[in-house]
Amino acid sequence: MTNKRVCLIGAGPSGMSVLYHLERLRLEGAIAPENLPEVTCYEKQDDCGGLWNYTWRTGTDEYGENVHGSMYRSLWSNGPKEALEYPDYTFEQHFGGPIPSFPPREALRDYLWGRWNKYNLKPMVTLLHSVQSVNFDPAKDKFTVVVKDLKQNKLLDAKDFDFVVNCSGHFSTPNVPYFKGIERFPGRVMHTHDLRSWREFSGKRVLVVGASYSAEDSALQSIKFGATSVVCSYRSKPMDFRWPDSVSERPLVTEVGGDDRVGAGGWARFSDGSMEQIDYIILATGYLHHYPYLAEQLRLRGPNLLYPAGLYKGTVWLAGGNNRLLYLGAQDQYYTYTMFDAQALWTVRYLTGAIQLPSSAEMAADAKAWVNRAALSKTDQENIAFQTDFVVDLANQSNYGYDLDVSKIFYEWEDHRAEDITTYKDRQFVSKFSGQQAPPPGQPFMKAIDDSLEHFLASCQGK
Amino acid sequence: MTNKRVCLIGAGPSGMSVLYHLERLRLEGAIAPENLPEVTCYEKQDDCGGLWNYTWRTGTDEYGENVHGSMYRSLWSNGPKEALEYPDYTFEQHFGGPIPSFPPREALRDYLWGRWNKYNLKPMVTLLHSVQSVNFDPAKDKFTVVVKDLKQNKLLDAKDFDFVVNCSGHFSTPNVPYFKGIERFPGRVMHTHDLRSWREFSGKRVLVVGASYSAEDSALQSIKFGATSVVCSYRSKPMDFRWPDSVSERPLVTEVGGDDRVGAGGWARFSDGSMEQIDYIILATGYLHHYPYLAEQLRLRGPNLLYPAGLYKGTVWLAGGNNRLLYLGAQDQYYTYTMFDAQALWTVRYLTGAIQLPSSAEMAADAKAWVNRAALSKTDQENIAFQTDFVVDLANQSNYGYDLDVSKIFYEWEDHRAEDITTYKDRQFVSKFSGQQAPPPGQPFMKAIDDSLEHFLASCQGK
């Protein structure tokens, strides 16, 4: 009997965590040779890192593929690094000293690479290969996967796999709502997915549609880079932070319009009847679960939830019943790197036979229970408690070896945000795993412009 | 023996011309029932019109498909309408009176619909269906086509076809070059594919990369909408028009950079060592032949040429030798609607058996001769003469019934452009087919802001 063949889709933090734990356990001799799966990891970008692999491109890339990246420049972590720190590879270890709690993108990317390089994982990833279709063939009892070699612009012959582990992420295909008059709005209309530089908002009046984390960051970044005013529009409830005077909140936009003539501009009307003059519209309206390469019956759909239905342990796709399609990171996220890492280790245990699945009925009941509880959890506190339990459950099942509960850090972080949304990224936390207290940032977030790793490290050392 | 089944991909001007002539000849009883093909036309957008179907969206659409549209608001025809007028349906007929030579987008779209509605073509198009894959199966001697129903987000069962006519166009997937430092440029970097409103350039310093028609229009539109300065950067040779003082030309960009701080800005360095302060970068760098749904051996590749190699009469795909894949509008374009229309009638004659193909050797030799001549043609005049001969040849072969040669109009247009690039769209031409002299525009192009059909028609009538 041959070893199981696994198709791993995507080399972001989730996919790389799968490779990490598999290689770690292999080197530790913890996996019997006959249980060691043959993993092929396909990544459509030219490097590992997923969303952390910044691109200046928008729309389609040089190969005509949809651009995966949704990050803009001068993006600072909006959660404390102590809430996403790997227990077996602390920031302290990586940087050789303490760094502030809210690092810029490049510092987090550097940290991820440090852990990946421990086991030299990059050569295990097939870069610039985009998965085009995944079908399950009941006759062969295999998944049939067609992949495109982007550099050669060539579809490769279909390959068969026993398992498919989908780590493509779900923050790449924007959800772009329509508002009356938007097709004639006299200024740029963009989704945050296409945002790269905040400089273009300098001196402008910005409308931000949305009331979640991207909307919050869009409002602050716009002001930081010189926007004269920001109006945030919410559907259900306002963010209600202590905003700077130049930021205000309104209910949902009902119509936009304006005049193309030089000197004239745009306007937005809101459901309370009020109007505002605006130059730009930023749609911070979230993303779609979008897996066009997966066959119908394998495709996760629906809104961004803490626990999407139909996934045992939030991971095993139950529909169809073969239990050999897995989704990592398909949840809405407070926990990120460590949640993916617990899911990844759970996945590796399952792929190597160390975890056995219960009956279909038991799995369905277990998933249903989580779904029901998620439906009841409404406040940030309840959501954080929910996801903590979810992550801890995965960690326990897979003998993760560390207590991943950092809910206290999240609660404290929420308090800081409520106190002052403009300064919460300047606060400092204590690492659960290194015991290290973070130093204050070299510059407060609202003043820090240069987001490069070099500048960040220099400023940490007070240089 | 059953009638031939044809898969028509795309319902833009080319695809609609195929449906138009097929229906026209059918109604005229010019096609024997046994020669009448069964045509299925798939269009991924929610309406017919191709690029003329304006969308405010950029990147991906509400179904996660790449946005097809490359047109911006306040786009006026950059060639005279008399050079793209259908002989059997003049602008005079459609609008019931004379209109200026350079109409805005909505007026041209309205004109197209007028001709399509003569035969009520829209119901023949399967909208919101995106072709996912086209393969040729030698065993069945059929093309196998897989289509996605976008509304239902569902792949439909593969269908077999005897012919595939690709009318998807080739101005939708941008060619986006990299320039040193672009990933840190402190302002928006965009391809013209993503341009929608020119208002955002008001008061800004714009760099336009490119030296063809989009570059020219980008420079003029930026100034028109209040940009303080425009620098155009060329690779091979400058456009060299009599520009307004605020527009200048430089050789190729070698590096861009700048400073994110409020009040600071960006810069570009050029191959002559000169530098300019800039706020925006518009990449007017053209498009890629991109047909990812077509199997390898069916896929046209290469640059935008007047005569792409390997197409008999610029239309029949010769590789593989089954001669049942056709490409319409794959050429670089001076002639547009009428060229597509001649190709479409030629295609209909071929599909209905009225045109027989010569031997493979003769077809290859014929195509080669055109390719060789195209390679020798360098100036606009030579290119116009070349495409005129190409169009006239197609028309003659297919008994088009009208002389489509409007080269004189193109030559005159080129002279106007050389005289004054800011006023050439205010000039008037005489229709070859209605004999009608166009009136002057209600407002000069550089002053006209409102591009709506209503406003255009009102201003024609001096209202």
Side-chain angles (χ1 to χ4, degrees):
Chain A
M1 119 128 214
T2 63
N3 293 30
K4 295 269 176 277
R5 302 196 64 240
V6 177
C7 177
L8 181 59
I9 302 174
S14 295
M16 295 303 279
S17 273
V18 172
L19 296 177
Y20 177 88
H21 287 294
L22 192 61
E23 183 64 0
R24 178 178 64 81
L25 294 171
R26 189 185 69 78
L27 292 171
E28 291 172 4
I31 306 171
E34 66 274 18
N35 294 335
L36 196 67
E38 265 177 49
V39 177
T40 309
C41 179
Y42 295 112
E43 167 57 53
K44 79 174 187 177
Q45 298 187 84
D46 62 3
D47 203 355
C48 310
L51 290 179
W52 295 92
N53 185 17
Y54 174 81
T55 176
W56 59 276
R57 295 177 185 272
T58 57
T60 49
D61 66 16
E62 57 268 63
Y63 306 102
E65 294 274 305
N66 291 352
V67 165
H68 184 75
S70 295
M71 287 197 189
Y72 34 79
R73 288 172 42 220
S74 51
L75 177 141
W76 263 257
S77 176
N78 70 338
K81 74 181 200 299
E82 291 78 7
L84 50 74
E85 183 173 51
Y86 294 111
D88 66 349
Y89 189 72
T90 64
F91 283 93
E92 176 79 2
Q93 277 172 266
H94 178 74
F95 287 103
I99 64 165
S101 286
F102 295 83
R105 178 189 53 78
E106 281 188 13
L108 288 171
R109 179 173 177 278
D110 193 67
Y111 170 66
L112 289 169
W113 274 101
R115 187 166 183 253
W116 301 339
N117 287 337
K118 271 171 63 179
Y119 296 122
N120 187 29
L121 302 180
K122 184 171 177 176
M124 302 176 191
V125 179
T126 309
L127 298 170
L128 291 172
H129 280 61
S130 165
V131 173
Q132 302 292 300
S133 70
V134 176
N135 288 280
F136 184 73
D137 180 343
K140 286 199 247 170
D141 195 34
K142 303 272 186 194
F143 291 98
T144 308
V145 178
V146 176
V147 173
K148 184 178 178 189
D149 177 333
L150 297 178
K151 245 179 158 164
Q152 299 193 40
N153 188 18
K154 194 173 188 325
L155 288 179
L156 306 180
D157 296 339
K159 285 210 182 78
D160 291 340
F161 292 94
D162 302 293
F163 291 84
V164 171
V165 181
N166 187 76
C167 299
S168 66
H170 61 107
F171 296 134
S172 272
T173 301
N175 170 50
V176 185
Y178 171 81
F179 295 101
K180 186 178 176 197
I182 204 165
E183 64 275 20
R184 297 202 62 81
F185 178 76
R188 186 179 181 190
V189 176
M190 85 200 76
H191 188 280
T192 47
H193 176 62
D194 294 330
L195 237 160
R196 293 296 180 263
S197 166
W198 293 98
R199 279 277 286 107
E200 73 183 276
F201 305 114
S202 173
K204 300 294 184 181
R205 301 161 299 184
V206 180
L207 169 65
V208 174
V209 180
S212 188
Y213 295 96
S214 336
E216 168 217 313
D217 205 46
S218 295
L220 292 180
Q221 297 269 16
S222 298
I223 296 302
K224 177 174 172 173
F225 285 91
T228 51
S229 67
V230 175
V231 185
C232 299
S233 163
Y234 57 88
R235 189 172 41 204
S236 39
K237 60 186 201 344
M239 293 177 271
D240 226 357
F241 292 118
R242 302 219 176 94
W243 294 109
D245 297 346
S246 48
V247 179
S248 60
E249 296 197 70
R250 293 287 164 79
L252 196 61
V253 179
T254 53
E255 185 177 1
V256 297
D259 189 325
D260 278 309
R261 281 170 303 182
V262 177
W267 54 262
R269 181 180 290 114
F270 304 90
S271 62
D272 62 0
S274 66
M275 283 185 71
E276 284 285 346
Q277 300 299 311
I278 54 171
D279 304 301
Y280 277 85
I281 300 176
I282 298 176
L283 300 170
T285 45
Y287 293 87
L288 302 170
H289 281 287
H290 184 66
Y291 314 103
Y293 48 88
L294 295 177
E296 280 310 297
Q297 67 280 11
L298 303 176
R299 206 180 286 164
L300 177 66
R301 286 198 183 70
N304 183 24
L305 299 171
L306 284 170
Y307 201 105
L311 295 172
Y312 176 61
K313 295 302 167 192
T315 308
V316 180
W317 181 247
L318 294 174
N322 76 30
N323 306 323
R324 278 153 36 197
L325 168 63
L326 286 73
Y327 280 90
L328 270 64
Q331 292 70 19
D332 190 6
Q333 296 156 15
Y334 290 87
Y335 285 79
T336 53
Y337 299 169
T338 52
M339 177 169 73
F340 310 148
D341 207 53
Q343 273 185 303
L345 179 56
W346 191 97
T347 297
V348 167
R349 300 277 191 206
Y350 171 52
L351 294 174
T352 55
I355 285 180
Q356 305 294 330
L357 300 182
S359 73
S360 297
E362 289 170 88
M363 289 194 288
D366 185 81
K368 193 76 176 59
W370 285 101
V371 168
N372 293 343
R373 179 180 158 193
L376 297 175
S377 118
K378 305 264 179 247
T379 66
D380 283 317
Q381 278 62 19
E382 289 166 339
N383 294 341
I384 290 162
F386 176 91
Q387 196 156 69
T388 300
D389 294 349
F390 171 70
V391 171
V392 167
D393 177 59
L394 279 167
N396 292 343
Q397 285 228 344
S398 49
N399 307 320
Y400 191 83
Y402 297 90
D403 173 13
L404 291 175
D405 178 351
V406 289
S407 51
K408 281 198 188 59
I409 291 174
F410 278 119
Y411 297 142
E412 196 182 338
W413 167 70
E414 290 286 2
D415 293 341
H416 294 168
R417 289 160 50 82
E419 282 170 38
D420 186 345
I421 196 67
T422 65
T423 61
Y424 81 92
K425 289 186 186 178
D426 306 329
R427 306 294 286 262
Q428 301 108 49
F429 290 83
V430 175
S431 163
K432 175 167 185 164
F433 305 115
S434 71
Q436 199 39 261
Q437 157 83 40
Q443 292 168 289
F445 168 69
M446 289 300 284
K447 296 248 173 302
I449 297 295
D450 186 338
D451 64 344
S452 67
L453 179 60
E454 303 65 33
H455 182 273
F456 173 70
L457 293 179
S459 68
C460 300
Q461 292 139 22
K463 292 199 189 102
Chain B
M1 117 133 215
T2 62
N3 293 30
K4 295 270 176 276
R5 304 196 65 238
V6 177
C7 176
L8 182 58
I9 303 173
S14 296
M16 295 303 279
S17 274
V18 172
L19 296 176
Y20 177 88
H21 287 294
L22 194 61
E23 184 63 1
R24 179 178 64 81
L25 293 172
R26 189 185 69 80
L27 293 170
E28 290 171 3
I31 306 171
E34 66 274 18
N35 293 336
L36 196 67
E38 264 178 48
V39 177
T40 310
C41 179
Y42 296 111
E43 168 57 52
K44 77 174 189 177
Q45 299 186 83
D46 62 3
D47 203 354
C48 310
L51 291 178
W52 295 93
N53 186 18
Y54 175 80
T55 175
W56 59 278
R57 294 177 185 273
T58 58
T60 51
D61 66 15
E62 58 269 61
Y63 306 102
E65 294 274 305
N66 292 351
V67 165
H68 184 75
S70 295
M71 287 197 187
Y72 33 79
R73 288 173 42 218
S74 53
L75 178 142
W76 262 257
S77 177
N78 69 339
K81 74 180 198 301
E82 291 78 7
L84 50 73
E85 183 173 51
Y86 294 110
D88 66 348
Y89 189 72
T90 64
F91 282 92
E92 177 79 3
Q93 277 172 265
H94 178 73
F95 287 103
I99 65 165
S101 287
F102 295 83
R105 179 189 52 78
E106 282 188 11
L108 288 172
R109 178 173 176 280
D110 193 68
Y111 170 66
L112 289 169
W113 273 101
R115 188 167 182 254
W116 301 339
N117 287 337
K118 271 170 62 177
Y119 296 123
N120 188 30
L121 302 180
K122 184 172 176 175
M124 303 176 190
V125 179
T126 308
L127 298 169
L128 291 173
H129 281 61
S130 166
V131 173
Q132 301 293 300
S133 70
V134 176
N135 287 280
F136 184 72
D137 180 342
K140 289 199 236 165
D141 194 35
K142 304 271 187 196
F143 291 97
T144 309
V145 178
V146 176
V147 173
K148 184 179 178 187
D149 178 333
L150 298 177
K151 247 180 154 162
Q152 298 194 39
N153 188 18
K154 194 173 186 326
L155 288 178
L156 306 180
D157 296 339
K159 285 210 181 79
D160 291 340
F161 292 95
D162 301 294
F163 291 84
V164 171
V165 181
N166 187 74
C167 299
S168 66
H170 61 107
F171 297 134
S172 273
T173 302
N175 170 50
V176 185
Y178 171 82
F179 296 101
K180 187 180 174 195
I182 204 165
E183 64 276 22
R184 297 203 63 82
F185 178 77
R188 187 179 180 192
V189 176
M190 85 199 76
H191 188 279
T192 47
H193 176 61
D194 294 331
L195 238 160
R196 293 296 181 264
S197 166
W198 292 98
R199 279 278 283 106
E200 73 182 275
F201 305 113
S202 172
K204 299 294 183 181
R205 302 162 299 185
V206 179
L207 168 65
V208 174
V209 180
S212 189
Y213 295 96
S214 349
E216 168 216 313
D217 205 46
S218 296
L220 291 180
Q221 297 267 16
S222 299
I223 296 301
K224 176 174 172 173
F225 285 92
T228 50
S229 67
V230 175
V231 185
C232 300
S233 163
Y234 56 88
R235 189 173 39 205
S236 38
K237 60 184 199 346
M239 294 177 271
D240 226 357
F241 293 117
R242 302 219 179 93
W243 294 111
D245 296 346
S246 48
V247 179
S248 60
E249 297 196 70
R250 291 276 201 298
L252 196 60
V253 179
T254 53
E255 186 176 0
V256 298
D259 189 325
D260 279 308
R261 281 169 302 181
V262 176
W267 53 263
R269 182 180 290 115
F270 304 91
S271 61
D272 62 0
S274 65
M275 283 185 72
E276 284 285 346
Q277 300 299 312
I278 55 170
D279 304 302
Y280 277 85
I281 300 175
I282 298 175
L283 299 170
T285 45
Y287 292 88
L288 302 169
H289 281 287
H290 184 67
Y291 313 105
Y293 48 86
L294 295 177
E296 281 309 297
Q297 68 281 11
L298 303 176
R299 206 179 286 164
L300 177 66
R301 285 196 183 71
N304 182 23
L305 299 171
L306 284 171
Y307 201 105
L311 295 172
Y312 175 62
K313 296 301 168 192
T315 307
V316 179
W317 181 247
L318 294 174
N322 76 29
N323 307 322
R324 281 155 35 199
L325 168 64
L326 286 73
Y327 279 90
L328 269 65
Q331 292 71 18
D332 190 6
Q333 296 157 14
Y334 290 87
Y335 286 79
T336 53
Y337 298 170
T338 52
M339 177 169 74
F340 310 148
D341 207 53
Q343 271 185 304
L345 180 57
W346 191 96
T347 297
V348 168
R349 301 277 191 206
Y350 170 52
L351 293 174
T352 55
I355 285 180
Q356 304 295 329
L357 300 182
S359 73
S360 297
E362 288 171 88
M363 290 194 287
D366 185 83
K368 192 79 179 57
W370 285 101
V371 168
N372 293 342
R373 181 180 158 193
L376 297 174
S377 128
K378 305 262 177 249
T379 66
D380 282 317
Q381 278 63 19
E382 290 167 338
N383 293 342
I384 289 161
F386 176 92
Q387 195 155 71
T388 300
D389 293 350
F390 171 71
V391 171
V392 167
D393 178 58
L394 280 167
N396 292 341
Q397 285 229 343
S398 49
N399 305 319
Y400 192 84
Y402 297 90
D403 172 13
L404 292 175
D405 178 350
V406 290
S407 51
K408 281 200 190 56
I409 291 174
F410 278 119
Y411 297 141
E412 197 182 339
W413 167 70
E414 289 287 1
D415 293 341
H416 294 167
R417 289 159 51 80
E419 283 168 38
D420 186 345
I421 196 67
T422 66
T423 61
Y424 80 92
K425 289 185 185 178
D426 307 329
R427 307 295 286 264
Q428 302 109 49
F429 291 83
V430 174
S431 163
K432 175 168 185 164
F433 305 116
S434 71
Q436 190 55 249
Q437 157 82 42
Q443 292 167 289
F445 167 68
M446 289 301 282
K447 296 247 174 300
I449 297 293
D450 186 338
D451 65 344
S452 68
L453 179 62
E454 302 65 34
H455 181 273
F456 172 70
L457 293 178
S459 67
C460 298
Q461 294 141 21
K463 289 196 193 109

